[in-house]
mmCIF file of all heavy atoms in Angstrom:
data_model
loop_
_atom_site.group_PDB
_atom_site.id
_atom_site.type_symbol
_atom_site.label_atom_id
_atom_site.label_comp_id
_atom_site.label_asym_id
_atom_site.label_seq_id
_atom_site.Cartn_x
_atom_site.Cartn_y
_atom_site.Cartn_z
ATOM 1 N N LEU A 708 -13.610 2.033 -30.809
ATOM 2 C CA LEU A 708 -12.745 1.479 -29.825
ATOM 3 C C LEU A 708 -11.291 1.320 -30.482
ATOM 4 O O LEU A 708 -11.088 0.903 -31.524
ATOM 5 C CB LEU A 708 -13.197 0.037 -29.418
ATOM 6 C CG LEU A 708 -12.318 -0.666 -28.398
ATOM 7 C CD1 LEU A 708 -13.146 -1.441 -27.438
ATOM 8 C CD2 LEU A 708 -11.273 -1.637 -29.064
ATOM 9 N N LEU A 709 -10.303 1.809 -29.644
ATOM 10 C CA LEU A 709 -8.905 1.840 -30.125
ATOM 11 C C LEU A 709 -8.014 1.003 -29.192
ATOM 12 O O LEU A 709 -7.993 1.287 -28.018
ATOM 13 C CB LEU A 709 -8.363 3.272 -30.187
ATOM 14 C CG LEU A 709 -9.153 4.212 -31.055
ATOM 15 C CD1 LEU A 709 -8.670 5.652 -30.839
ATOM 16 C CD2 LEU A 709 -9.174 3.807 -32.499
ATOM 17 N N GLU A 710 -7.385 0.046 -29.718
ATOM 18 C CA GLU A 710 -6.435 -0.890 -28.897
ATOM 19 C C GLU A 710 -5.053 -0.763 -29.490
ATOM 20 O O GLU A 710 -4.868 -0.843 -30.636
ATOM 21 C CB GLU A 710 -6.970 -2.272 -29.019
ATOM 22 C CG GLU A 710 -5.981 -3.464 -28.671
ATOM 23 C CD GLU A 710 -5.340 -3.221 -27.282
ATOM 24 O OE1 GLU A 710 -6.066 -2.973 -26.284
ATOM 25 O OE2 GLU A 710 -4.099 -3.390 -27.167
ATOM 26 N N MET A 711 -4.091 -0.465 -28.538
ATOM 27 C CA MET A 711 -2.693 -0.131 -29.143
ATOM 28 C C MET A 711 -2.041 -1.387 -29.648
ATOM 29 O O MET A 711 -1.144 -1.389 -30.436
ATOM 30 C CB MET A 711 -1.837 0.501 -28.056
ATOM 31 C CG MET A 711 -1.495 -0.449 -26.829
ATOM 32 S SD MET A 711 -0.339 0.382 -25.797
ATOM 33 C CE MET A 711 -0.117 -0.830 -24.522
ATOM 34 N N HIS A 712 -2.424 -2.628 -29.222
ATOM 35 C CA HIS A 712 -1.810 -3.810 -29.707
ATOM 36 C C HIS A 712 -2.941 -4.667 -30.307
ATOM 37 O O HIS A 712 -3.646 -4.211 -31.167
ATOM 38 C CB HIS A 712 -1.066 -4.529 -28.519
ATOM 39 C CG HIS A 712 -0.044 -5.550 -29.044
ATOM 40 N ND1 HIS A 712 -0.385 -6.817 -29.403
ATOM 41 C CD2 HIS A 712 1.282 -5.466 -29.173
ATOM 42 C CE1 HIS A 712 0.644 -7.514 -29.851
ATOM 43 N NE2 HIS A 712 1.729 -6.682 -29.714
ATOM 44 N N ASP A 713 -3.065 -5.920 -29.902
ATOM 45 C CA ASP A 713 -4.150 -6.717 -30.381
ATOM 46 C C ASP A 713 -5.192 -6.902 -29.275
ATOM 47 O O ASP A 713 -4.937 -6.704 -28.099
ATOM 48 C CB ASP A 713 -3.642 -8.161 -30.698
ATOM 49 C CG ASP A 713 -4.681 -9.022 -31.359
ATOM 50 O OD1 ASP A 713 -5.589 -8.436 -32.031
ATOM 51 O OD2 ASP A 713 -4.593 -10.275 -31.195
ATOM 52 N N PHE A 714 -6.455 -7.177 -29.695
ATOM 53 C CA PHE A 714 -7.524 -7.435 -28.655
ATOM 54 C C PHE A 714 -7.083 -8.461 -27.665
ATOM 55 O O PHE A 714 -6.577 -9.514 -28.016
ATOM 56 C CB PHE A 714 -8.799 -7.856 -29.366
ATOM 57 C CG PHE A 714 -9.265 -6.906 -30.421
ATOM 58 C CD1 PHE A 714 -9.405 -7.266 -31.723
ATOM 59 C CD2 PHE A 714 -9.636 -5.563 -30.142
ATOM 60 C CE1 PHE A 714 -9.815 -6.449 -32.772
ATOM 61 C CE2 PHE A 714 -10.017 -4.718 -31.133
ATOM 62 C CZ PHE A 714 -10.146 -5.123 -32.431
ATOM 63 N N ALA A 715 -7.241 -8.082 -26.368
ATOM 64 C CA ALA A 715 -6.973 -9.054 -25.205
ATOM 65 C C ALA A 715 -5.505 -9.455 -25.180
ATOM 66 O O ALA A 715 -5.075 -10.495 -24.633
ATOM 67 C CB ALA A 715 -7.816 -10.276 -25.304
ATOM 68 N N LYS A 716 -4.581 -8.596 -25.757
ATOM 69 C CA LYS A 716 -3.206 -8.903 -25.685
ATOM 70 C C LYS A 716 -2.678 -8.939 -24.241
ATOM 71 O O LYS A 716 -1.821 -9.785 -23.877
ATOM 72 C CB LYS A 716 -2.448 -7.817 -26.539
ATOM 73 C CG LYS A 716 -0.874 -7.697 -26.154
ATOM 74 C CD LYS A 716 -0.084 -8.903 -26.644
ATOM 75 C CE LYS A 716 1.399 -8.666 -26.387
ATOM 76 N NZ LYS A 716 2.195 -9.804 -26.807
ATOM 77 N N GLY A 717 -3.160 -8.125 -23.418
ATOM 78 C CA GLY A 717 -2.715 -8.029 -22.051
ATOM 79 C C GLY A 717 -3.457 -9.012 -21.138
ATOM 80 O O GLY A 717 -3.471 -10.190 -21.401
ATOM 81 N N THR A 718 -3.890 -8.597 -20.020
ATOM 82 C CA THR A 718 -4.390 -9.381 -18.899
ATOM 83 C C THR A 718 -5.553 -10.296 -19.438
ATOM 84 O O THR A 718 -5.636 -11.458 -18.965
ATOM 85 C CB THR A 718 -4.866 -8.505 -17.830
ATOM 86 O OG1 THR A 718 -3.971 -7.530 -17.499
ATOM 87 C CG2 THR A 718 -5.273 -9.273 -16.600
ATOM 88 N N SER A 719 -6.328 -9.825 -20.347
ATOM 89 C CA SER A 719 -7.573 -10.537 -20.681
ATOM 90 C C SER A 719 -7.420 -11.823 -21.361
ATOM 91 O O SER A 719 -8.330 -12.565 -21.485
ATOM 92 C CB SER A 719 -8.505 -9.569 -21.525
ATOM 93 O OG SER A 719 -8.803 -8.443 -20.823
ATOM 94 N N SER A 720 -6.216 -12.197 -21.863
ATOM 95 C CA SER A 720 -6.014 -13.504 -22.515
ATOM 96 C C SER A 720 -5.227 -14.410 -21.583
ATOM 97 O O SER A 720 -4.836 -15.474 -21.879
ATOM 98 C CB SER A 720 -5.222 -13.372 -23.848
ATOM 99 O OG SER A 720 -4.001 -12.724 -23.618
ATOM 100 N N ARG A 721 -4.950 -13.926 -20.356
ATOM 101 C CA ARG A 721 -4.024 -14.728 -19.397
ATOM 102 C C ARG A 721 -4.745 -15.031 -18.174
ATOM 103 O O ARG A 721 -4.092 -15.258 -17.130
ATOM 104 C CB ARG A 721 -2.834 -13.785 -19.144
ATOM 105 C CG ARG A 721 -2.071 -13.358 -20.408
ATOM 106 C CD ARG A 721 -1.205 -12.087 -20.256
ATOM 107 N NE ARG A 721 -0.731 -11.543 -21.451
ATOM 108 C CZ ARG A 721 0.489 -11.840 -21.931
ATOM 109 N NH1 ARG A 721 1.236 -12.746 -21.359
ATOM 110 N NH2 ARG A 721 0.815 -11.351 -23.020
ATOM 111 N N SER A 722 -6.002 -15.217 -18.171
ATOM 112 C CA SER A 722 -6.804 -15.544 -16.928
ATOM 113 C C SER A 722 -6.753 -17.011 -16.570
ATOM 114 O O SER A 722 -6.158 -17.784 -17.404
ATOM 115 C CB SER A 722 -8.260 -15.075 -17.133
ATOM 116 O OG SER A 722 -8.948 -15.979 -18.044
ATOM 117 N N THR A 723 -7.449 -17.396 -15.526
ATOM 118 C CA THR A 723 -7.506 -18.858 -15.177
ATOM 119 C C THR A 723 -8.695 -19.445 -15.966
ATOM 120 O O THR A 723 -8.883 -20.675 -15.708
ATOM 121 C CB THR A 723 -7.807 -18.969 -13.627
ATOM 122 O OG1 THR A 723 -6.910 -18.077 -12.964
ATOM 123 C CG2 THR A 723 -7.584 -20.357 -13.116
ATOM 124 N N LYS A 724 -9.298 -18.761 -16.886
ATOM 125 C CA LYS A 724 -10.297 -19.276 -17.726
ATOM 126 C C LYS A 724 -11.645 -19.593 -16.999
ATOM 127 O O LYS A 724 -12.338 -20.507 -17.480
ATOM 128 C CB LYS A 724 -9.828 -20.496 -18.635
ATOM 129 C CG LYS A 724 -8.432 -20.391 -19.082
ATOM 130 C CD LYS A 724 -8.058 -19.221 -19.897
ATOM 131 C CE LYS A 724 -6.542 -19.250 -20.277
ATOM 132 N NZ LYS A 724 -6.098 -17.947 -20.665
ATOM 133 N N LEU A 725 -11.778 -18.935 -15.907
ATOM 134 C CA LEU A 725 -13.075 -19.234 -15.103
ATOM 135 C C LEU A 725 -14.054 -18.080 -15.137
ATOM 136 O O LEU A 725 -13.646 -16.866 -15.051
ATOM 137 C CB LEU A 725 -12.738 -19.550 -13.617
ATOM 138 C CG LEU A 725 -11.703 -20.755 -13.408
ATOM 139 C CD1 LEU A 725 -11.498 -20.896 -11.887
ATOM 140 C CD2 LEU A 725 -12.320 -22.025 -14.012
ATOM 141 N N VAL A 726 -15.323 -18.371 -15.284
ATOM 142 C CA VAL A 726 -16.402 -17.384 -15.175
ATOM 143 C C VAL A 726 -17.074 -17.793 -13.851
ATOM 144 O O VAL A 726 -17.734 -18.739 -13.710
ATOM 145 C CB VAL A 726 -17.430 -17.532 -16.297
ATOM 146 C CG1 VAL A 726 -18.562 -16.544 -16.073
ATOM 147 C CG2 VAL A 726 -16.715 -17.220 -17.638
ATOM 148 N N HIS A 727 -16.624 -17.042 -12.755
ATOM 149 C CA HIS A 727 -17.000 -17.503 -11.434
ATOM 150 C C HIS A 727 -17.361 -16.387 -10.461
ATOM 151 O O HIS A 727 -16.885 -15.325 -10.657
ATOM 152 C CB HIS A 727 -15.861 -18.373 -10.874
ATOM 153 C CG HIS A 727 -14.553 -17.705 -10.661
ATOM 154 N ND1 HIS A 727 -13.747 -17.902 -9.647
ATOM 155 C CD2 HIS A 727 -13.913 -16.749 -11.407
ATOM 156 C CE1 HIS A 727 -12.646 -17.200 -9.709
ATOM 157 N NE2 HIS A 727 -12.712 -16.507 -10.764
ATOM 158 N N GLY A 728 -18.092 -16.773 -9.453
ATOM 159 C CA GLY A 728 -18.465 -15.787 -8.442
ATOM 160 C C GLY A 728 -17.306 -15.459 -7.576
ATOM 161 O O GLY A 728 -17.183 -14.298 -7.096
ATOM 162 N N GLY A 729 -16.374 -16.429 -7.423
ATOM 163 C CA GLY A 729 -15.216 -16.199 -6.544
ATOM 164 C C GLY A 729 -15.419 -16.674 -5.152
ATOM 165 O O GLY A 729 -15.824 -15.960 -4.281
ATOM 166 N N VAL A 730 -15.100 -17.949 -4.955
ATOM 167 C CA VAL A 730 -15.228 -18.524 -3.610
ATOM 168 C C VAL A 730 -14.329 -17.807 -2.599
ATOM 169 O O VAL A 730 -14.752 -17.575 -1.495
ATOM 170 C CB VAL A 730 -14.802 -20.060 -3.730
ATOM 171 C CG1 VAL A 730 -14.757 -20.678 -2.321
ATOM 172 C CG2 VAL A 730 -15.748 -20.814 -4.535
ATOM 173 N N ARG A 731 -13.224 -17.274 -3.017
ATOM 174 C CA ARG A 731 -12.322 -16.589 -2.071
ATOM 175 C C ARG A 731 -12.902 -15.339 -1.616
ATOM 176 O O ARG A 731 -12.696 -14.857 -0.512
ATOM 177 C CB ARG A 731 -10.956 -16.366 -2.824
ATOM 178 C CG ARG A 731 -9.985 -15.669 -1.871
ATOM 179 C CD ARG A 731 -8.561 -15.843 -2.529
ATOM 180 N NE ARG A 731 -8.500 -15.198 -3.789
ATOM 181 C CZ ARG A 731 -8.166 -13.907 -4.005
ATOM 182 N NH1 ARG A 731 -7.996 -13.128 -2.965
ATOM 183 N NH2 ARG A 731 -8.107 -13.395 -5.234
ATOM 184 N N TYR A 732 -13.702 -14.626 -2.493
ATOM 185 C CA TYR A 732 -14.211 -13.383 -2.137
ATOM 186 C C TYR A 732 -15.333 -13.608 -1.067
ATOM 187 O O TYR A 732 -15.604 -12.819 -0.230
ATOM 188 C CB TYR A 732 -14.838 -12.624 -3.213
ATOM 189 C CG TYR A 732 -13.843 -12.601 -4.477
ATOM 190 C CD1 TYR A 732 -14.312 -12.848 -5.789
ATOM 191 C CD2 TYR A 732 -12.494 -12.356 -4.250
ATOM 192 C CE1 TYR A 732 -13.424 -12.831 -6.795
ATOM 193 C CE2 TYR A 732 -11.603 -12.289 -5.357
ATOM 194 C CZ TYR A 732 -12.105 -12.525 -6.637
ATOM 195 O OH TYR A 732 -11.199 -12.577 -7.701
ATOM 196 N N LEU A 733 -15.969 -14.805 -1.180
ATOM 197 C CA LEU A 733 -16.960 -15.196 -0.092
ATOM 198 C C LEU A 733 -16.270 -15.424 1.160
ATOM 199 O O LEU A 733 -16.692 -14.958 2.236
ATOM 200 C CB LEU A 733 -17.682 -16.519 -0.607
ATOM 201 C CG LEU A 733 -18.858 -16.959 0.252
ATOM 202 C CD1 LEU A 733 -19.993 -15.868 0.245
ATOM 203 C CD2 LEU A 733 -19.426 -18.268 -0.374
ATOM 204 N N GLN A 734 -15.099 -16.061 1.192
ATOM 205 C CA GLN A 734 -14.271 -16.271 2.297
ATOM 206 C C GLN A 734 -13.889 -14.913 2.947
ATOM 207 O O GLN A 734 -13.863 -14.810 4.190
ATOM 208 C CB GLN A 734 -12.939 -17.015 1.790
ATOM 209 C CG GLN A 734 -12.596 -18.230 2.619
ATOM 210 C CD GLN A 734 -11.309 -18.892 1.984
ATOM 211 O OE1 GLN A 734 -11.073 -18.771 0.792
ATOM 212 N NE2 GLN A 734 -10.588 -19.537 2.747
ATOM 213 N N GLN A 735 -13.603 -13.857 2.060
ATOM 214 C CA GLN A 735 -13.160 -12.601 2.639
ATOM 215 C C GLN A 735 -14.355 -11.776 3.055
ATOM 216 O O GLN A 735 -14.205 -10.647 3.496
ATOM 217 C CB GLN A 735 -12.396 -11.901 1.534
ATOM 218 C CG GLN A 735 -11.097 -12.491 1.225
ATOM 219 C CD GLN A 735 -10.334 -11.811 0.024
ATOM 220 O OE1 GLN A 735 -11.018 -11.120 -0.768
ATOM 221 N NE2 GLN A 735 -9.137 -12.076 -0.156
ATOM 222 N N GLY A 736 -15.537 -12.264 2.847
ATOM 223 C CA GLY A 736 -16.784 -11.522 3.280
ATOM 224 C C GLY A 736 -17.263 -10.497 2.236
ATOM 225 O O GLY A 736 -18.173 -9.717 2.581
ATOM 226 N N ASP A 737 -16.765 -10.597 0.998
ATOM 227 C CA ASP A 737 -17.190 -9.570 -0.108
ATOM 228 C C ASP A 737 -18.426 -10.180 -0.733
ATOM 229 O O ASP A 737 -18.428 -10.483 -1.935
ATOM 230 C CB ASP A 737 -16.054 -9.357 -1.037
ATOM 231 C CG ASP A 737 -16.255 -8.036 -1.827
ATOM 232 O OD1 ASP A 737 -17.350 -7.593 -1.808
ATOM 233 O OD2 ASP A 737 -15.253 -7.656 -2.465
ATOM 234 N N VAL A 738 -19.520 -10.225 0.067
ATOM 235 C CA VAL A 738 -20.746 -10.915 -0.499
ATOM 236 C C VAL A 738 -21.310 -10.182 -1.732
ATOM 237 O O VAL A 738 -21.841 -10.824 -2.596
ATOM 238 C CB VAL A 738 -21.757 -11.084 0.650
ATOM 239 C CG1 VAL A 738 -23.039 -11.684 0.175
ATOM 240 C CG2 VAL A 738 -21.165 -12.016 1.791
#
């Protein structure tokens, strides 16, 4: 595996810190 910067430097360290099904996706019908 080759990463140009550091592991999780981009989007992956900047989340809402939730491991979730996604209530909003249920609202949108993406069951």
